[in-house]
Amino acid sequence: MPRQKLIERSDGRYACKYNGKFFYGKTPEEAKAKRQNYINDLGLGYNPDMSTVTFLEYGYDWLDAYRSSCNTKQRRQYENIIQDAARAMKKSYIRTITATDIQKLYNTLNGMSKSYIDKYRTTIRGIFRAAVQDGIIVRNPAELAQTPKGTAGEHRYLDPWEQDLIVQTYKDHDFGLFAMVMLFAGLRRGEALYFDIDRDVDFDKKVIHVRGAVTFSEGIQGSVSEGKTEAANRTIPLSDFLAEALKDHHGLLLSKQDGSMMSLMSFTRKYQSYITFLETKLNGCHKRWYGKTREHKELLKEGKKLPPWKNIHIRCHDFRVTFCTMCYNAGIPIKTLQAWMGHADATMIMSVYAKLTAEKEQFDATKLNDFTNSRFAH
Protein backbone atom coordinates (compact mmCIF):
# COMPACT_ATOMS: atom_id res chain seq x y z
CA MET A 1 0.00 0.00 0.00
CA PRO A 2 1.51 3.35 -1.04
CA ARG A 3 2.36 5.80 1.72
CA GLN A 4 -0.09 8.65 2.19
CA LYS A 5 1.12 11.87 0.58
CA LEU A 6 0.13 14.92 2.60
CA ILE A 7 -0.85 18.11 0.82
CA GLU A 8 -0.18 21.53 2.30
CA ARG A 9 -3.37 23.25 3.42
CA SER A 10 -4.25 26.88 2.79
CA ASP A 11 -3.22 27.72 6.37
CA GLY A 12 0.27 26.32 5.75
CA ARG A 13 -0.26 23.16 7.85
CA TYR A 14 -0.35 19.49 6.88
CA ALA A 15 -3.02 17.05 8.05
CA CYS A 16 -3.40 13.28 8.26
CA LYS A 17 -6.24 11.10 9.51
CA TYR A 18 -6.80 8.03 11.68
CA ASN A 19 -10.23 6.59 12.55
CA GLY A 20 -11.92 9.87 11.73
CA LYS A 21 -9.50 11.98 13.79
CA PHE A 22 -7.25 14.56 12.15
CA PHE A 23 -3.66 15.34 13.15
CA TYR A 24 -1.96 18.57 12.12
CA GLY A 25 1.65 19.69 11.79
CA LYS A 26 3.80 22.35 10.20
CA THR A 27 5.44 19.56 8.18
CA PRO A 28 4.15 16.20 6.94
CA GLU A 29 6.52 14.45 9.33
CA GLU A 30 5.13 16.35 12.33
CA ALA A 31 1.52 15.49 11.48
CA LYS A 32 2.40 11.81 10.95
CA ALA A 33 4.36 11.72 14.21
CA LYS A 34 1.32 13.02 16.11
CA ARG A 35 -0.83 10.33 14.51
CA GLN A 36 1.67 7.61 15.41
CA ASN A 37 1.88 8.82 19.03
CA TYR A 38 -1.90 8.62 19.19
CA ILE A 39 -1.85 5.05 17.89
CA ASN A 40 0.93 4.11 20.32
CA ASP A 41 -1.05 5.53 23.28
CA LEU A 42 -4.07 3.46 22.30
CA GLY A 43 -1.88 0.38 22.26
CA LEU A 44 -0.60 1.10 25.78
CA GLY A 45 -4.11 1.52 27.16
CA TYR A 46 -4.17 5.31 27.34
CA ASN A 47 -7.06 7.52 26.32
CA PRO A 48 -5.07 9.95 24.15
CA ASP A 49 -7.92 12.47 24.07
CA MET A 50 -7.36 13.10 27.81
CA SER A 51 -3.59 13.43 27.73
CA THR A 52 -3.71 17.16 28.51
CA VAL A 53 -6.13 16.95 31.45
CA THR A 54 -4.64 18.68 34.51
CA PHE A 55 -4.73 17.26 38.02
CA LEU A 56 -6.85 20.18 39.20
CA GLU A 57 -9.41 19.74 36.39
CA TYR A 58 -9.70 16.01 36.89
CA GLY A 59 -9.79 16.37 40.67
CA TYR A 60 -12.91 18.51 40.41
CA ASP A 61 -14.48 16.06 37.94
CA TRP A 62 -13.73 13.21 40.35
CA LEU A 63 -15.31 15.16 43.20
CA ASP A 64 -18.49 15.73 41.18
CA ALA A 65 -18.67 12.10 40.10
CA TYR A 66 -17.61 10.17 43.19
CA ARG A 67 -18.46 12.50 46.09
CA SER A 68 -21.68 14.03 44.78
CA SER A 69 -23.60 13.27 47.99
CA CYS A 70 -21.23 15.03 50.39
CA ASN A 71 -22.44 18.10 52.25
CA THR A 72 -21.13 21.64 51.82
CA LYS A 73 -18.51 21.36 54.56
CA GLN A 74 -17.19 18.03 53.29
CA ARG A 75 -17.00 19.31 49.71
CA ARG A 76 -15.00 22.32 50.88
CA GLN A 77 -12.54 19.96 52.59
CA TYR A 78 -12.12 17.91 49.41
CA GLU A 79 -11.64 21.05 47.32
CA ASN A 80 -8.96 22.31 49.73
CA ILE A 81 -7.09 19.00 49.49
CA ILE A 82 -7.26 18.95 45.68
CA GLN A 83 -6.10 22.57 45.43
CA ASP A 84 -3.26 21.99 47.92
CA ALA A 85 -2.05 18.92 46.03
CA ALA A 86 -2.18 20.76 42.70
CA ARG A 87 -0.07 23.63 44.10
CA ALA A 88 2.46 21.33 45.74
CA MET A 89 3.12 19.10 42.70
CA LYS A 90 3.43 22.05 40.26
CA LYS A 91 2.77 19.85 37.22
CA SER A 92 -0.06 20.69 34.85
CA TYR A 93 -0.98 17.31 33.41
CA ILE A 94 -2.08 14.43 35.59
CA ARG A 95 -0.36 12.08 33.16
CA THR A 96 3.06 13.53 34.01
CA ILE A 97 2.81 13.04 37.80
CA THR A 98 5.14 10.38 39.19
CA ALA A 99 5.28 8.25 42.34
CA THR A 100 8.10 10.47 43.58
CA ASP A 101 5.87 13.52 43.19
CA ILE A 102 3.22 11.84 45.35
CA GLN A 103 5.74 10.85 48.02
CA LYS A 104 7.09 14.41 48.18
CA LEU A 105 3.51 15.64 48.50
CA TYR A 106 2.80 13.28 51.39
CA ASN A 107 6.01 14.34 53.13
CA THR A 108 4.60 17.88 53.42
CA LEU A 109 1.83 16.51 55.68
CA ASN A 110 4.21 15.67 58.51
CA GLY A 111 2.96 17.05 61.84
CA MET A 112 -0.69 17.20 60.79
CA SER A 113 -3.49 15.24 62.44
CA LYS A 114 -3.93 11.56 61.61
CA SER A 115 -7.54 12.08 60.55
CA TYR A 116 -6.58 14.83 58.09
CA ILE A 117 -3.72 12.77 56.65
CA ASP A 118 -6.01 9.75 56.22
CA LYS A 119 -8.58 11.83 54.34
CA TYR A 120 -5.84 13.42 52.22
CA ARG A 121 -4.43 10.00 51.26
CA THR A 122 -7.88 8.59 50.50
CA THR A 123 -8.67 11.55 48.25
CA ILE A 124 -5.42 11.38 46.27
CA ARG A 125 -5.66 7.60 45.83
CA GLY A 126 -9.27 7.87 44.74
CA ILE A 127 -8.45 10.46 42.08
CA PHE A 128 -5.60 8.44 40.58
CA ARG A 129 -7.51 5.15 40.70
CA ALA A 130 -10.33 6.75 38.73
CA ALA A 131 -7.77 8.22 36.32
CA VAL A 132 -6.49 4.70 35.63
CA GLN A 133 -10.00 3.49 34.85
CA ASP A 134 -10.59 6.48 32.55
CA GLY A 135 -7.39 5.75 30.63
CA ILE A 136 -5.61 8.98 31.54
CA ILE A 137 -2.80 6.98 33.17
CA VAL A 138 -1.98 3.26 33.11
CA ARG A 139 -0.43 3.02 36.59
CA ASN A 140 -1.45 4.64 39.87
CA PRO A 141 1.53 6.70 41.17
CA ALA A 142 -0.13 7.01 44.60
CA GLU A 143 -0.54 3.29 45.25
CA LEU A 144 2.68 2.69 47.18
CA ALA A 145 3.43 6.17 48.55
CA GLN A 146 3.65 6.31 52.37
CA THR A 147 2.07 9.05 54.46
CA PRO A 148 3.35 10.27 57.85
CA LYS A 149 1.68 8.72 60.89
CA GLY A 150 0.17 12.02 61.99
CA THR A 151 -0.76 13.21 65.44
CA ALA A 152 -3.62 11.52 67.24
CA GLY A 153 -6.44 13.71 68.50
CA GLU A 154 -6.59 12.15 71.95
CA HIS A 155 -9.56 13.09 74.09
CA ARG A 156 -8.99 12.72 77.79
CA TYR A 157 -10.39 12.65 81.29
CA LEU A 158 -9.84 16.03 82.90
CA ASP A 159 -7.57 16.09 85.94
CA PRO A 160 -9.28 16.77 89.30
CA TRP A 161 -7.67 20.22 89.54
CA GLU A 162 -9.09 21.10 86.11
CA GLN A 163 -12.55 19.98 87.18
CA ASP A 164 -12.27 22.03 90.38
CA LEU A 165 -11.21 25.11 88.43
CA ILE A 166 -14.23 24.81 86.12
CA VAL A 167 -16.65 24.36 89.04
CA GLN A 168 -15.19 27.18 91.12
CA THR A 169 -15.28 29.74 88.28
CA TYR A 170 -18.37 28.87 86.23
CA LYS A 171 -20.26 31.94 87.45
CA ASP A 172 -17.50 34.29 86.31
CA HIS A 173 -17.55 33.66 82.54
CA ASP A 174 -20.28 33.42 79.89
CA PHE A 175 -19.02 29.98 78.89
CA GLY A 176 -18.96 28.67 82.46
CA LEU A 177 -22.51 27.30 82.60
CA PHE A 178 -22.07 25.73 79.15
CA ALA A 179 -18.97 23.93 80.43
CA MET A 180 -20.84 22.75 83.54
CA VAL A 181 -23.62 21.14 81.49
CA MET A 182 -21.14 19.33 79.24
CA LEU A 183 -19.13 18.22 82.26
CA PHE A 184 -22.03 17.00 84.42
CA ALA A 185 -24.50 15.86 81.75
CA GLY A 186 -22.14 14.64 79.01
CA LEU A 187 -23.68 16.67 76.20
CA ARG A 188 -21.95 16.98 72.86
CA ARG A 189 -21.02 20.50 71.72
CA GLY A 190 -23.91 20.71 69.26
CA GLU A 191 -26.37 19.39 71.84
CA ALA A 192 -25.24 21.96 74.38
CA LEU A 193 -25.61 24.74 71.78
CA TYR A 194 -29.22 23.68 71.17
CA PHE A 195 -29.94 23.20 74.89
CA ASP A 196 -32.65 25.50 76.25
CA ILE A 197 -33.02 25.57 80.04
CA ASP A 198 -36.72 26.45 79.99
CA ARG A 199 -37.56 23.77 77.44
CA ASP A 200 -35.15 20.95 78.25
CA VAL A 201 -34.78 20.94 82.04
CA ASP A 202 -37.42 19.41 84.32
CA PHE A 203 -36.37 20.50 87.80
CA ASP A 204 -39.28 18.67 89.46
CA LYS A 205 -38.53 15.29 87.88
CA LYS A 206 -34.76 15.97 88.01
CA VAL A 207 -34.10 15.14 84.36
CA ILE A 208 -32.58 16.79 81.29
CA HIS A 209 -34.11 16.16 77.87
CA VAL A 210 -31.79 16.14 74.87
CA ARG A 211 -34.01 16.96 71.89
CA GLY A 212 -31.61 17.93 69.11
CA ALA A 213 -28.31 19.53 68.22
CA VAL A 214 -26.75 22.34 66.24
CA THR A 215 -24.62 21.11 63.35
CA PHE A 216 -22.15 23.09 61.24
CA SER A 217 -21.94 20.51 58.44
CA GLU A 218 -23.63 22.93 56.02
CA GLY A 219 -21.72 26.06 57.01
CA ILE A 220 -20.58 28.24 59.90
CA GLN A 221 -24.06 29.58 60.69
CA GLY A 222 -25.26 26.21 61.90
CA SER A 223 -28.55 24.37 61.52
CA VAL A 224 -30.65 22.20 63.83
CA SER A 225 -30.53 18.42 63.45
CA GLU A 226 -32.19 15.57 65.33
CA GLY A 227 -28.84 14.44 66.68
CA LYS A 228 -25.76 12.44 65.76
CA THR A 229 -27.39 9.00 66.16
CA GLU A 230 -30.86 7.52 66.57
CA ALA A 231 -30.11 7.28 70.29
CA ALA A 232 -29.12 10.96 70.53
CA ASN A 233 -32.55 12.11 71.73
CA ARG A 234 -32.53 10.95 75.32
CA THR A 235 -33.16 11.70 78.97
CA ILE A 236 -30.31 12.27 81.42
CA PRO A 237 -30.62 12.51 85.22
CA LEU A 238 -30.19 16.01 86.61
CA SER A 239 -27.91 15.98 89.62
CA ASP A 240 -28.63 18.30 92.54
CA PHE A 241 -25.24 19.90 91.92
CA LEU A 242 -26.04 20.79 88.30
CA ALA A 243 -29.61 21.82 89.16
CA GLU A 244 -28.26 24.35 91.63
CA ALA A 245 -26.02 25.82 88.91
CA LEU A 246 -28.89 26.01 86.39
CA LYS A 247 -31.56 27.51 88.60
CA ASP A 248 -32.49 31.15 87.94
CA HIS A 249 -31.13 30.84 84.37
CA HIS A 250 -33.30 30.84 81.26
CA GLY A 251 -33.07 30.20 77.54
CA LEU A 252 -30.02 28.96 75.65
CA LEU A 253 -26.87 28.15 77.59
CA LEU A 254 -24.86 30.19 75.12
CA SER A 255 -26.17 32.62 72.53
CA LYS A 256 -25.45 35.76 70.57
CA GLN A 257 -26.36 39.11 72.07
CA ASP A 258 -29.76 38.98 70.35
CA GLY A 259 -30.49 35.60 71.93
CA SER A 260 -30.07 33.57 68.72
CA MET A 261 -27.89 30.48 68.26
CA MET A 262 -24.17 31.03 67.91
CA SER A 263 -22.29 30.62 64.65
CA LEU A 264 -19.21 28.43 64.57
CA MET A 265 -16.99 31.51 64.49
CA SER A 266 -18.65 33.16 67.49
CA PHE A 267 -18.56 29.89 69.44
CA THR A 268 -14.85 29.40 68.68
CA ARG A 269 -14.03 32.91 69.89
CA LYS A 270 -16.08 32.45 73.05
CA TYR A 271 -14.35 29.16 73.80
CA GLN A 272 -10.91 30.70 73.24
CA SER A 273 -11.92 33.49 75.59
CA TYR A 274 -12.92 30.91 78.20
CA ILE A 275 -9.61 29.05 78.01
CA THR A 276 -7.77 32.36 78.39
CA PHE A 277 -9.98 33.15 81.38
CA LEU A 278 -9.13 29.80 83.03
CA GLU A 279 -5.41 30.33 82.44
CA THR A 280 -5.66 33.79 83.98
CA LYS A 281 -7.41 32.38 87.05
CA LEU A 282 -4.88 29.59 87.37
CA ASN A 283 -1.79 31.77 86.99
CA GLY A 284 -3.01 34.92 88.71
CA CYS A 285 -2.58 37.16 85.66
CA HIS A 286 -3.19 37.31 81.94
CA LYS A 287 -0.41 35.76 79.88
CA ARG A 288 0.48 39.11 78.33
CA TRP A 289 1.33 40.39 81.83
CA TYR A 290 3.37 37.34 82.84
CA GLY A 291 6.68 38.64 84.15
CA LYS A 292 5.45 42.25 84.09
CA THR A 293 3.28 42.41 87.23
CA ARG A 294 4.55 44.14 90.35
CA GLU A 295 4.93 40.81 92.13
CA HIS A 296 6.83 39.27 89.25
CA LYS A 297 9.14 42.25 88.93
CA GLU A 298 9.92 42.02 92.66
CA LEU A 299 10.78 38.34 92.31
CA LEU A 300 13.08 39.03 89.38
CA LYS A 301 14.67 41.92 91.22
CA GLU A 302 15.44 39.59 94.12
CA GLY A 303 17.05 37.12 91.70
CA LYS A 304 14.27 34.58 92.09
CA LYS A 305 12.62 32.56 89.35
CA LEU A 306 9.07 33.25 88.25
CA PRO A 307 6.49 30.55 88.91
CA PRO A 308 6.17 28.50 85.69
CA TRP A 309 3.27 29.48 83.46
CA LYS A 310 0.59 26.79 83.33
CA ASN A 311 -1.32 26.36 80.09
CA ILE A 312 -4.85 25.00 79.86
CA HIS A 313 -5.26 22.27 77.24
CA ILE A 314 -8.94 21.31 77.24
CA ARG A 315 -10.85 20.27 74.14
CA CYS A 316 -14.61 20.62 74.07
CA HIS A 317 -15.11 16.85 73.85
CA ASP A 318 -12.99 16.34 76.98
CA PHE A 319 -15.95 17.49 79.10
CA ARG A 320 -18.06 14.64 77.70
CA VAL A 321 -15.28 12.12 78.16
CA THR A 322 -14.90 13.23 81.77
CA PHE A 323 -18.63 12.86 82.49
CA CYS A 324 -18.65 9.36 81.04
CA THR A 325 -15.55 8.34 82.97
CA MET A 326 -16.99 9.75 86.22
CA CYS A 327 -20.13 7.64 85.66
CA TYR A 328 -18.02 4.60 84.92
CA ASN A 329 -15.95 5.17 88.04
CA ALA A 330 -19.17 5.52 90.06
CA GLY A 331 -20.23 2.05 88.98
CA ILE A 332 -23.01 3.04 86.55
CA PRO A 333 -23.89 -0.03 84.40
CA ILE A 334 -22.60 0.15 80.83
CA LYS A 335 -26.07 -0.16 79.25
CA THR A 336 -27.35 2.70 81.40
CA LEU A 337 -24.33 4.80 80.53
CA GLN A 338 -24.83 4.01 76.85
CA ALA A 339 -28.34 5.46 77.05
CA TRP A 340 -27.19 8.58 78.92
CA MET A 341 -24.41 9.20 76.41
CA GLY A 342 -26.68 8.69 73.40
CA HIS A 343 -24.60 5.94 71.81
CA ALA A 344 -26.18 3.33 69.58
CA ASP A 345 -23.46 0.83 70.50
CA ALA A 346 -22.11 0.12 73.98
CA THR A 347 -18.69 -0.85 72.59
CA MET A 348 -17.97 2.86 72.01
CA ILE A 349 -18.26 3.41 75.76
CA MET A 350 -15.67 0.77 76.51
CA SER A 351 -13.25 1.51 73.68
CA VAL A 352 -13.20 5.31 73.81
CA TYR A 353 -14.66 6.76 76.98
CA ALA A 354 -14.25 4.27 79.81
CA LYS A 355 -10.70 5.21 80.83
CA LEU A 356 -9.72 3.76 84.15
CA THR A 357 -8.25 6.31 86.54
CA ALA A 358 -5.85 5.46 89.32
CA GLU A 359 -8.66 6.11 91.79
CA LYS A 360 -10.91 3.58 90.02
CA GLU A 361 -8.16 0.98 89.87
CA GLN A 362 -7.56 1.36 93.60
CA PHE A 363 -11.30 1.15 94.28
CA ASP A 364 -11.58 -2.09 92.27
CA ALA A 365 -8.50 -3.53 93.99
CA THR A 366 -10.07 -2.81 97.37
CA LYS A 367 -13.32 -4.51 96.31
CA LEU A 368 -11.38 -7.60 95.20
CA ASN A 369 -9.42 -7.68 98.45
CA ASP A 370 -12.61 -7.36 100.56
CA PHE A 371 -14.29 -10.12 98.55
CA THR A 372 -11.44 -12.60 98.90
CA ASN A 373 -11.11 -11.83 102.62
CA SER A 374 -14.80 -12.42 103.27
CA ARG A 375 -14.89 -15.53 101.11
CA PHE A 376 -11.75 -17.34 102.10
CA ALA A 377 -10.44 -15.85 105.36
CA HIS A 378 -11.03 -18.03 108.44
Side-chain angles (χ1 to χ4, degrees):
M1 182 177 178
R3 298 183 64 181
Q4 180 182 8
K5 183 176 181 180
L6 306 186
I7 301 175
E8 185 177 5
R9 291 158 41 97
S10 59
D11 61 3
R13 294 187 301 167
Y14 293 84
C16 57
K17 188 177 180 181
Y18 177 79
N19 283 351
K21 184 177 179 65
F22 285 90
F23 303 88
Y24 301 94
K26 293 180 179 180
T27 64
E29 290 73 20
E30 183 181 347
K32 291 177 182 179
K34 288 182 179 179
R35 180 178 61 183
Q36 187 58 49
N37 289 337
Y38 183 87
I39 295 171
N40 292 342
D41 281 350
L42 288 176
L44 292 172
Y46 285 113
N47 180 347
D49 294 328
M50 300 186 73
S51 62
T52 57
V53 173
T54 68
F55 175 83
L56 189 62
E57 291 170 340
Y58 190 76
Y60 284 137
D61 286 342
W62 172 88
L63 182 55
D64 291 335
Y66 293 95
R67 295 296 185 270
S68 59
S69 61
C70 66
N71 58 46
T72 303
K73 182 179 179 180
Q74 290 169 334
R75 182 178 177 85
R76 191 180 301 116
Q77 290 174 336
Y78 282 120
E79 289 175 347
N80 289 339
I81 290 173
I82 292 168
Q83 292 166 5
D84 180 75
R87 284 193 299 268
M89 290 185 290
K90 298 179 182 178
K91 292 192 176 181
S92 297
Y93 303 142
I94 191 171
R95 187 170 170 179
T96 64
I97 296 172
T98 67
T100 300
D101 293 326
I102 302 298
Q103 187 59 62
K104 288 180 178 179
L105 171 66
Y106 285 170
N107 292 345
T108 66
L109 304 178
N110 190 37
M112 296 184 179
S113 70
K114 183 179 183 302
S115 60
Y116 178 76
I117 291 174
D118 288 344
K119 187 162 190 174
Y120 203 109
R121 179 181 62 244
T122 301
T123 302
I124 298 301
R125 283 186 177 180
I127 290 172
F128 281 102
R129 283 173 179 170
V132 171
Q133 297 302 313
D134 285 340
I136 302 176
I137 55 178
V138 294
R139 286 184 294 274
N140 185 348
E143 200 62 45
L144 299 179
Q146 299 296 312
T147 54
K149 290 183 177 180
T151 58
E154 182 73 14
H155 296 296
R156 65 186 182 87
Y157 175 79
L158 298 181
D159 291 334
W161 68 265
E162 292 172 307
Q163 298 174 37
D164 291 341
L165 182 62
I166 292 164
V167 171
Q168 292 165 7
T169 63
Y170 80 88
K171 295 181 181 179
D172 303 326
H173 194 278
D174 293 344
F175 197 90
L177 196 61
F178 191 95
M180 290 285 285
V181 171
M182 288 196 295
L183 181 59
F184 292 103
L187 269 60
R188 299 177 176 93
R189 180 191 67 178
E191 293 169 344
L193 280 169
Y194 186 64
F195 187 86
D196 187 296
I197 298 171
D198 300 311
R199 180 193 62 205
D200 300 326
V201 179
D202 190 327
F203 288 97
D204 294 329
K205 294 182 179 180
K206 294 186 177 182
V207 294
I208 287 174
H209 298 287
V210 181
R211 308 177 193 270
V214 175
T215 175
F216 298 106
S217 61
E218 298 296 334
I220 64 172
Q221 292 306 317
S223 58
V224 177
S225 73
E226 294 182 355
K228 190 173 182 179
T229 67
E230 292 182 1
N233 288 1
R234 61 197 187 276
T235 300
I236 305 170
L238 174 65
S239 66
D240 293 338
F241 183 73
L242 184 56
E244 179 65 24
L246 288 171
K247 75 175 185 179
D248 300 327
H249 291 275
H250 301 277
L252 297 174
L253 288 172
L254 205 61
S255 66
K256 295 181 180 179
Q257 290 184 347
D258 61 4
S260 61
M261 290 188 305
M262 280 196 155
S263 66
L264 180 59
M265 184 67 70
S266 57
F267 175 83
T268 300
R269 288 175 178 170
K270 183 66 68 175
Y271 188 63
Q272 291 171 343
S273 168
Y274 179 62
I275 295 301
T276 299
F277 161 79
L278 291 179
E279 288 183 342
T280 301
K281 284 287 185 180
L282 182 63
N283 292 280
C285 69
H286 192 283
K287 194 168 187 177
R288 74 166 68 97
W289 297 110
Y290 178 69
K292 300 176 183 178
T293 65
R294 181 180 300 175
E295 292 79 8
H296 286 175
K297 288 180 178 179
E298 287 296 328
L299 287 174
L300 294 173
K301 188 176 180 180
E302 295 171 5
K304 298 178 181 178
K305 291 184 178 179
L306 297 178
W309 179 267
K310 297 179 181 178
N311 291 305
I312 297 288
H313 298 290
I314 299 176
R315 301 184 183 190
C316 239
H317 204 68
D318 294 342
F319 296 107
R320 180 170 160 83
V321 172
T322 303
F323 169 77
C324 188
T325 308
M326 286 192 295
C327 291
Y328 180 79
N329 289 346
I332 305 299
I334 292 297
K335 293 300 291 183
T336 300
L337 187 50
Q338 175 190 342
W340 291 355
M341 295 294 290
H343 278 302
D345 189 346
T347 57
M348 181 66 74
I349 302 292
M350 293 304 300
S351 62
V352 178
Y353 294 109
K355 301 184 178 183
L356 289 172
T357 62
E359 180 181 354
K360 172 64 174 172
E361 291 178 351
Q362 184 59 48
F363 177 72
D364 289 343
T366 301
K367 285 200 302 183
L368 175 62
N369 185 62
D370 292 344
F371 174 80
T372 54
N373 284 342
S374 63
R375 176 67 176 81
F376 300 106
H378 298 288

